Amino acid sequence: MLSTKTLYAILLALIIVLGITLSIKTALGPNNFLDFWDDSYYIFFSHYIANYGFNKILLANFATEYILVGVPAIIYKLLGVSLLTEGIFSMFCLTGTVITIFMIGKLLHNELAGLLSALTFIFVPLVAAEGAASGDNMAVAFFITLSVLLLFLGAKKKKSIYYLLSGFIGLTGVLAGSALNLLVFMFLIPYIIYLLLKERNVEQKLHTLAFFWGMLLAIALIITLGYILQSKPFIYFVTNYYVVKYPASNTPTLLKYIALLFPFPPHSGVPSWFFWPLISGFSNGVDINVIGFFGYAMLASLAYLLAKKKYDSALLLSSWFGLMFMYLSFGKDSFSGGYMLFVERFTIILLPPMAIIIGLALSMIIEDAFKIGKRGRSKRHVALHKVLFLFAMVA
């Protein structure tokens, strides 16, 4: 007989295989539809580094994302350049993100919640479109989610090492993707402040402050790599954080941001999300809604968590989602300018908390629908949750 842990590991592995398969079938290699020319640039720099190293490379911010261009360069050196090798790094990041989402779901509720969260994540259209692409979007999702997991573990286990690793991973992520990784701090810093105010023990406060030591270590690593690889310690900061101002007309409105999460434009008088959950037209040239009906599922799931009095989980996950969404909507375009111009693919930073909210709610619905012997539950209560379960499965 398989142990419970082994069964969960097998199911998680199957979810990962399914996620990679969906991604390969959707977009393998350069995804010019969502990423425009960026993917081709990453491939060019990685191939250039594989042949000539960093010393002769052209100066550009693409060349300073050392993990993003360095790992594929090693892959190209070993396996050659092909559509498959161009997508391997994103597939690795997809695998890491799925595992990390599972662990957060398990941490907040149980293994079933983790599995359902991971399963939800791989079916979101944007994940399928970016999971085997050549760009940095899946890397952004991975490093952000891993940083959040480590902070959650630090808060639970009250150990400095998790806080330190959270700060380190959160900032090191800029070397594996765009500076969008920095958006994780829109959630983590307020959470750190909350933990510092909550803790009464001086030792626990010092554990929490280890998060900032991790950030300093990451900055030291970035400077060291700049010196070793390009003989310019601060080249990353020089090439990535110069001031660029984009015309205001290039920035989508808040309404378009909301429409990404909750598509509502009608088609022939019928709301698009009812019959066509993936399709919605926008004036900025991309005619695919990358969230589909999952935004509505998240709202329903959040309401369910509140009804079940799971206030801590609901607040934690909705804060993670909400603070980054608010920054994307109302914050400065970016630290170097222009993120709002390509809003569709950057929505990926919001998907892990969304998937976990849905996964937690689904797991609780299933538990209430099929654990008949639980005390204090009427037949009407069980029947209601079976109806919710069937509705969720159809959706």
Side-chain angles (χ1 to χ4, degrees), residues 284-310:
N284 56 354
V286 177
D287 293 326
I288 179 171
N289 187 280
V290 291
I291 304 297
F293 52 69
F294 288 95
Y296 295 97
M298 179 189 69
L299 287 184
S301 299
L302 195 57
Y304 182 81
L305 291 178
L306 293 173
K308 295 286 289 183
K309 298 181 179 179
K310 300 293 182 180

PDB file of all heavy atoms in Angstrom, residues 284-310:
ATOM      1  N   ASN A 284      -5.551  47.822 -26.458  1.00  0.00           N
ATOM      2  CA  ASN A 284      -4.091  47.855 -26.558  1.00  0.00           C
ATOM      3  C   ASN A 284      -3.539  46.709 -27.398  1.00  0.00           C
ATOM      4  O   ASN A 284      -2.375  46.379 -27.312  1.00  0.00           O
ATOM      5  CB  ASN A 284      -3.442  47.865 -25.171  1.00  0.00           C
ATOM      6  CG  ASN A 284      -3.889  46.679 -24.327  1.00  0.00           C
ATOM      7  OD1 ASN A 284      -4.761  45.930 -24.735  1.00  0.00           O
ATOM      8  ND2 ASN A 284      -3.294  46.520 -23.166  1.00  0.00           N
ATOM      9  N   GLY A 285      -4.388  46.046 -28.184  1.00  0.00           N
ATOM     10  CA  GLY A 285      -3.900  45.147 -29.210  1.00  0.00           C
ATOM     11  C   GLY A 285      -3.883  43.679 -28.867  1.00  0.00           C
ATOM     12  O   GLY A 285      -3.618  42.850 -29.733  1.00  0.00           O
ATOM     13  N   VAL A 286      -4.147  43.287 -27.645  1.00  0.00           N
ATOM     14  CA  VAL A 286      -4.139  41.871 -27.280  1.00  0.00           C
ATOM     15  C   VAL A 286      -5.563  41.429 -27.017  1.00  0.00           C
ATOM     16  O   VAL A 286      -6.240  41.983 -26.159  1.00  0.00           O
ATOM     17  CB  VAL A 286      -3.268  41.626 -26.033  1.00  0.00           C
ATOM     18  CG1 VAL A 286      -3.321  40.154 -25.629  1.00  0.00           C
ATOM     19  CG2 VAL A 286      -1.831  42.014 -26.332  1.00  0.00           C
ATOM     20  N   ASP A 287      -6.029  40.433 -27.758  1.00  0.00           N
ATOM     21  CA  ASP A 287      -7.434  40.034 -27.689  1.00  0.00           C
ATOM     22  C   ASP A 287      -7.623  38.697 -26.986  1.00  0.00           C
ATOM     23  O   ASP A 287      -8.357  37.832 -27.439  1.00  0.00           O
ATOM     24  CB  ASP A 287      -8.028  39.961 -29.102  1.00  0.00           C
ATOM     25  CG  ASP A 287      -8.100  41.331 -29.745  1.00  0.00           C
ATOM     26  OD1 ASP A 287      -8.335  42.294 -29.003  1.00  0.00           O
ATOM     27  OD2 ASP A 287      -7.905  41.430 -30.955  1.00  0.00           O
ATOM     28  N   ILE A 288      -6.923  38.496 -25.900  1.00  0.00           N
ATOM     29  CA  ILE A 288      -7.154  37.289 -25.103  1.00  0.00           C
ATOM     30  C   ILE A 288      -7.199  37.691 -23.646  1.00  0.00           C
ATOM     31  O   ILE A 288      -6.390  38.494 -23.189  1.00  0.00           O
ATOM     32  CB  ILE A 288      -6.051  36.230 -25.321  1.00  0.00           C
ATOM     33  CG1 ILE A 288      -6.321  34.998 -24.448  1.00  0.00           C
ATOM     34  CG2 ILE A 288      -4.680  36.790 -25.044  1.00  0.00           C
ATOM     35  CD1 ILE A 288      -5.407  33.829 -24.761  1.00  0.00           C
ATOM     36  N   ASN A 289      -8.202  37.183 -22.932  1.00  0.00           N
ATOM     37  CA  ASN A 289      -8.240  37.438 -21.503  1.00  0.00           C
ATOM     38  C   ASN A 289      -7.471  36.344 -20.814  1.00  0.00           C
ATOM     39  O   ASN A 289      -7.814  35.167 -20.901  1.00  0.00           O
ATOM     40  CB  ASN A 289      -9.673  37.481 -20.990  1.00  0.00           C
ATOM     41  CG  ASN A 289      -9.695  37.924 -19.545  1.00  0.00           C
ATOM     42  OD1 ASN A 289      -9.448  37.128 -18.659  1.00  0.00           O
ATOM     43  ND2 ASN A 289      -9.919  39.195 -19.321  1.00  0.00           N
ATOM     44  N   VAL A 290      -6.416  36.706 -20.116  1.00  0.00           N
ATOM     45  CA  VAL A 290      -5.472  35.733 -19.601  1.00  0.00           C
ATOM     46  C   VAL A 290      -5.901  35.125 -18.270  1.00  0.00           C
ATOM     47  O   VAL A 290      -5.228  34.255 -17.743  1.00  0.00           O
ATOM     48  CB  VAL A 290      -4.074  36.368 -19.441  1.00  0.00           C
ATOM     49  CG1 VAL A 290      -3.489  36.673 -20.800  1.00  0.00           C
ATOM     50  CG2 VAL A 290      -4.159  37.634 -18.606  1.00  0.00           C
ATOM     51  N   ILE A 291      -7.028  35.578 -17.722  1.00  0.00           N
ATOM     52  CA  ILE A 291      -7.533  35.026 -16.477  1.00  0.00           C
ATOM     53  C   ILE A 291      -8.807  34.222 -16.706  1.00  0.00           C
ATOM     54  O   ILE A 291      -9.037  33.192 -16.099  1.00  0.00           O
ATOM     55  CB  ILE A 291      -7.819  36.153 -15.447  1.00  0.00           C
ATOM     56  CG1 ILE A 291      -6.563  36.987 -15.223  1.00  0.00           C
ATOM     57  CG2 ILE A 291      -8.287  35.568 -14.125  1.00  0.00           C
ATOM     58  CD1 ILE A 291      -5.408  36.236 -14.619  1.00  0.00           C
ATOM     59  N   GLY A 292      -9.663  34.708 -17.615  1.00  0.00           N
ATOM     60  CA  GLY A 292     -10.913  34.006 -17.865  1.00  0.00           C
ATOM     61  C   GLY A 292     -11.833  34.079 -16.658  1.00  0.00           C
ATOM     62  O   GLY A 292     -11.906  35.086 -15.966  1.00  0.00           O
ATOM     63  N   PHE A 293     -12.545  32.971 -16.393  1.00  0.00           N
ATOM     64  CA  PHE A 293     -13.514  32.984 -15.283  1.00  0.00           C
ATOM     65  C   PHE A 293     -12.854  32.743 -13.927  1.00  0.00           C
ATOM     66  O   PHE A 293     -13.531  32.720 -12.905  1.00  0.00           O
ATOM     67  CB  PHE A 293     -14.585  31.922 -15.505  1.00  0.00           C
ATOM     68  CG  PHE A 293     -14.065  30.550 -15.788  1.00  0.00           C
ATOM     69  CD1 PHE A 293     -13.431  29.808 -14.813  1.00  0.00           C
ATOM     70  CD2 PHE A 293     -14.204  29.994 -17.047  1.00  0.00           C
ATOM     71  CE1 PHE A 293     -12.944  28.539 -15.084  1.00  0.00           C
ATOM     72  CE2 PHE A 293     -13.721  28.721 -17.330  1.00  0.00           C
ATOM     73  CZ  PHE A 293     -13.093  28.000 -16.349  1.00  0.00           C
ATOM     74  N   PHE A 294     -11.540  32.572 -13.876  1.00  0.00           N
ATOM     75  CA  PHE A 294     -10.872  32.292 -12.601  1.00  0.00           C
ATOM     76  C   PHE A 294     -10.969  33.480 -11.641  1.00  0.00           C
ATOM     77  O   PHE A 294     -10.928  33.305 -10.429  1.00  0.00           O
ATOM     78  CB  PHE A 294      -9.412  31.921 -12.840  1.00  0.00           C
ATOM     79  CG  PHE A 294      -9.248  30.560 -13.444  1.00  0.00           C
ATOM     80  CD1 PHE A 294      -9.117  30.400 -14.812  1.00  0.00           C
ATOM     81  CD2 PHE A 294      -9.239  29.422 -12.646  1.00  0.00           C
ATOM     82  CE1 PHE A 294      -8.970  29.135 -15.373  1.00  0.00           C
ATOM     83  CE2 PHE A 294      -9.084  28.162 -13.190  1.00  0.00           C
ATOM     84  CZ  PHE A 294      -8.957  28.022 -14.560  1.00  0.00           C
ATOM     85  N   GLY A 295     -11.072  34.699 -12.186  1.00  0.00           N
ATOM     86  CA  GLY A 295     -11.250  35.857 -11.327  1.00  0.00           C
ATOM     87  C   GLY A 295     -12.547  35.781 -10.548  1.00  0.00           C
ATOM     88  O   GLY A 295     -12.593  36.060  -9.342  1.00  0.00           O
ATOM     89  N   TYR A 296     -13.620  35.369 -11.235  1.00  0.00           N
ATOM     90  CA  TYR A 296     -14.905  35.206 -10.561  1.00  0.00           C
ATOM     91  C   TYR A 296     -14.843  34.059  -9.550  1.00  0.00           C
ATOM     92  O   TYR A 296     -15.425  34.147  -8.463  1.00  0.00           O
ATOM     93  CB  TYR A 296     -16.006  34.940 -11.587  1.00  0.00           C
ATOM     94  CG  TYR A 296     -16.253  36.103 -12.511  1.00  0.00           C
ATOM     95  CD1 TYR A 296     -15.672  36.154 -13.778  1.00  0.00           C
ATOM     96  CD2 TYR A 296     -17.057  37.166 -12.114  1.00  0.00           C
ATOM     97  CE1 TYR A 296     -15.888  37.229 -14.623  1.00  0.00           C
ATOM     98  CE2 TYR A 296     -17.282  38.248 -12.958  1.00  0.00           C
ATOM     99  CZ  TYR A 296     -16.698  38.270 -14.211  1.00  0.00           C
ATOM    100  OH  TYR A 296     -16.904  39.344 -15.035  1.00  0.00           O
ATOM    101  N   ALA A 297     -14.130  32.999  -9.912  1.00  0.00           N
ATOM    102  CA  ALA A 297     -13.980  31.868  -8.990  1.00  0.00           C
ATOM    103  C   ALA A 297     -13.240  32.299  -7.727  1.00  0.00           C
ATOM    104  O   ALA A 297     -13.558  31.848  -6.616  1.00  0.00           O
ATOM    105  CB  ALA A 297     -13.233  30.727  -9.685  1.00  0.00           C
ATOM    106  N   MET A 298     -12.264  33.191  -7.882  1.00  0.00           N
ATOM    107  CA  MET A 298     -11.528  33.681  -6.717  1.00  0.00           C
ATOM    108  C   MET A 298     -12.449  34.467  -5.780  1.00  0.00           C
ATOM    109  O   MET A 298     -12.407  34.293  -4.561  1.00  0.00           O
ATOM    110  CB  MET A 298     -10.370  34.567  -7.159  1.00  0.00           C
ATOM    111  CG  MET A 298      -9.555  35.138  -5.995  1.00  0.00           C
ATOM    112  SD  MET A 298      -8.354  36.395  -6.492  1.00  0.00           S
ATOM    113  CE  MET A 298      -9.458  37.725  -6.974  1.00  0.00           C
ATOM    114  N   LEU A 299     -13.285  35.335  -6.341  1.00  0.00           N
ATOM    115  CA  LEU A 299     -14.207  36.109  -5.507  1.00  0.00           C
ATOM    116  C   LEU A 299     -15.169  35.200  -4.759  1.00  0.00           C
ATOM    117  O   LEU A 299     -15.420  35.387  -3.560  1.00  0.00           O
ATOM    118  CB  LEU A 299     -14.996  37.096  -6.371  1.00  0.00           C
ATOM    119  CG  LEU A 299     -14.243  38.311  -6.912  1.00  0.00           C
ATOM    120  CD1 LEU A 299     -15.201  39.223  -7.673  1.00  0.00           C
ATOM    121  CD2 LEU A 299     -13.573  39.082  -5.787  1.00  0.00           C
ATOM    122  N   ALA A 300     -15.713  34.201  -5.456  1.00  0.00           N
ATOM    123  CA  ALA A 300     -16.629  33.260  -4.814  1.00  0.00           C
ATOM    124  C   ALA A 300     -15.911  32.468  -3.726  1.00  0.00           C
ATOM    125  O   ALA A 300     -16.466  32.226  -2.638  1.00  0.00           O
ATOM    126  CB  ALA A 300     -17.219  32.312  -5.863  1.00  0.00           C
ATOM    127  N   SER A 301     -14.666  32.076  -4.001  1.00  0.00           N
ATOM    128  CA  SER A 301     -13.883  31.304  -3.027  1.00  0.00           C
ATOM    129  C   SER A 301     -13.554  32.143  -1.802  1.00  0.00           C
ATOM    130  O   SER A 301     -13.593  31.645  -0.669  1.00  0.00           O
ATOM    131  CB  SER A 301     -12.592  30.796  -3.678  1.00  0.00           C
ATOM    132  OG  SER A 301     -12.880  29.950  -4.776  1.00  0.00           O
ATOM    133  N   LEU A 302     -13.234  33.415  -2.023  1.00  0.00           N
ATOM    134  CA  LEU A 302     -12.930  34.308  -0.912  1.00  0.00           C
ATOM    135  C   LEU A 302     -14.159  34.488  -0.019  1.00  0.00           C
ATOM    136  O   LEU A 302     -14.050  34.478   1.217  1.00  0.00           O
ATOM    137  CB  LEU A 302     -12.459  35.654  -1.459  1.00  0.00           C
ATOM    138  CG  LEU A 302     -11.765  36.609  -0.484  1.00  0.00           C
ATOM    139  CD1 LEU A 302     -10.549  35.954   0.156  1.00  0.00           C
ATOM    140  CD2 LEU A 302     -11.362  37.890  -1.202  1.00  0.00           C
ATOM    141  N   ALA A 303     -15.319  34.624  -0.644  1.00  0.00           N
ATOM    142  CA  ALA A 303     -16.561  34.738   0.127  1.00  0.00           C
ATOM    143  C   ALA A 303     -16.805  33.472   0.946  1.00  0.00           C
ATOM    144  O   ALA A 303     -17.251  33.533   2.103  1.00  0.00           O
ATOM    145  CB  ALA A 303     -17.733  34.999  -0.821  1.00  0.00           C
ATOM    146  N   TYR A 304     -16.488  32.322   0.357  1.00  0.00           N
ATOM    147  CA  TYR A 304     -16.672  31.055   1.063  1.00  0.00           C
ATOM    148  C   TYR A 304     -15.728  30.953   2.263  1.00  0.00           C
ATOM    149  O   TYR A 304     -16.134  30.513   3.344  1.00  0.00           O
ATOM    150  CB  TYR A 304     -16.441  29.886   0.109  1.00  0.00           C
ATOM    151  CG  TYR A 304     -16.670  28.535   0.744  1.00  0.00           C
ATOM    152  CD1 TYR A 304     -17.958  28.013   0.878  1.00  0.00           C
ATOM    153  CD2 TYR A 304     -15.602  27.782   1.227  1.00  0.00           C
ATOM    154  CE1 TYR A 304     -18.177  26.792   1.473  1.00  0.00           C
ATOM    155  CE2 TYR A 304     -15.814  26.550   1.828  1.00  0.00           C
ATOM    156  CZ  TYR A 304     -17.103  26.062   1.945  1.00  0.00           C
ATOM    157  OH  TYR A 304     -17.322  24.847   2.555  1.00  0.00           O
ATOM    158  N   LEU A 305     -14.465  31.350   2.079  1.00  0.00           N
ATOM    159  CA  LEU A 305     -13.507  31.314   3.185  1.00  0.00           C
ATOM    160  C   LEU A 305     -13.970  32.206   4.341  1.00  0.00           C
ATOM    161  O   LEU A 305     -13.846  31.837   5.519  1.00  0.00           O
ATOM    162  CB  LEU A 305     -12.127  31.770   2.708  1.00  0.00           C
ATOM    163  CG  LEU A 305     -11.389  30.842   1.738  1.00  0.00           C
ATOM    164  CD1 LEU A 305     -10.053  31.472   1.328  1.00  0.00           C
ATOM    165  CD2 LEU A 305     -11.155  29.478   2.339  1.00  0.00           C
ATOM    166  N   LEU A 306     -14.522  33.357   4.010  1.00  0.00           N
ATOM    167  CA  LEU A 306     -15.031  34.249   5.049  1.00  0.00           C
ATOM    168  C   LEU A 306     -16.244  33.641   5.741  1.00  0.00           C
ATOM    169  O   LEU A 306     -16.404  33.761   6.964  1.00  0.00           O
ATOM    170  CB  LEU A 306     -15.383  35.615   4.446  1.00  0.00           C
ATOM    171  CG  LEU A 306     -14.193  36.438   3.925  1.00  0.00           C
ATOM    172  CD1 LEU A 306     -14.677  37.688   3.193  1.00  0.00           C
ATOM    173  CD2 LEU A 306     -13.255  36.817   5.073  1.00  0.00           C
ATOM    174  N   ALA A 307     -17.106  32.977   4.973  1.00  0.00           N
ATOM    175  CA  ALA A 307     -18.274  32.317   5.556  1.00  0.00           C
ATOM    176  C   ALA A 307     -17.858  31.186   6.496  1.00  0.00           C
ATOM    177  O   ALA A 307     -18.533  30.913   7.498  1.00  0.00           O
ATOM    178  CB  ALA A 307     -19.184  31.778   4.450  1.00  0.00           C
ATOM    179  N   LYS A 308     -16.723  30.551   6.174  1.00  0.00           N
ATOM    180  CA  LYS A 308     -16.191  29.471   7.025  1.00  0.00           C
ATOM    181  C   LYS A 308     -15.342  30.008   8.170  1.00  0.00           C
ATOM    182  O   LYS A 308     -14.757  29.242   8.934  1.00  0.00           O
ATOM    183  CB  LYS A 308     -15.354  28.515   6.177  1.00  0.00           C
ATOM    184  CG  LYS A 308     -16.132  27.756   5.119  1.00  0.00           C
ATOM    185  CD  LYS A 308     -16.992  26.660   5.708  1.00  0.00           C
ATOM    186  CE  LYS A 308     -16.149  25.509   6.220  1.00  0.00           C
ATOM    187  NZ  LYS A 308     -16.986  24.406   6.735  1.00  0.00           N
ATOM    188  N   LYS A 309     -15.266  31.329   8.276  1.00  0.00           N
ATOM    189  CA  LYS A 309     -14.511  32.012   9.326  1.00  0.00           C
ATOM    190  C   LYS A 309     -13.006  31.723   9.261  1.00  0.00           C
ATOM    191  O   LYS A 309     -12.320  31.693  10.285  1.00  0.00           O
ATOM    192  CB  LYS A 309     -15.061  31.643  10.704  1.00  0.00           C
ATOM    193  CG  LYS A 309     -16.507  32.062  10.898  1.00  0.00           C
ATOM    194  CD  LYS A 309     -17.025  31.716  12.292  1.00  0.00           C
ATOM    195  CE  LYS A 309     -18.469  32.179  12.445  1.00  0.00           C
ATOM    196  NZ  LYS A 309     -19.015  31.832  13.794  1.00  0.00           N
ATOM    197  N   LYS A 310     -12.515  31.522   8.046  1.00  0.00           N
ATOM    198  CA  LYS A 310     -11.080  31.360   7.835  1.00  0.00           C
ATOM    199  C   LYS A 310     -10.464  32.743   7.563  1.00  0.00           C
ATOM    200  O   LYS A 310      -9.913  33.022   6.501  1.00  0.00           O
ATOM    201  CB  LYS A 310     -10.816  30.407   6.664  1.00  0.00           C
ATOM    202  CG  LYS A 310     -11.385  29.008   6.863  1.00  0.00           C
ATOM    203  CD  LYS A 310     -10.669  28.274   7.981  1.00  0.00           C
ATOM    204  CE  LYS A 310     -11.195  26.852   8.147  1.00  0.00           C
ATOM    205  NZ  LYS A 310     -10.511  26.124   9.232  1.00  0.00           N
TER     206      LYS A 310
END
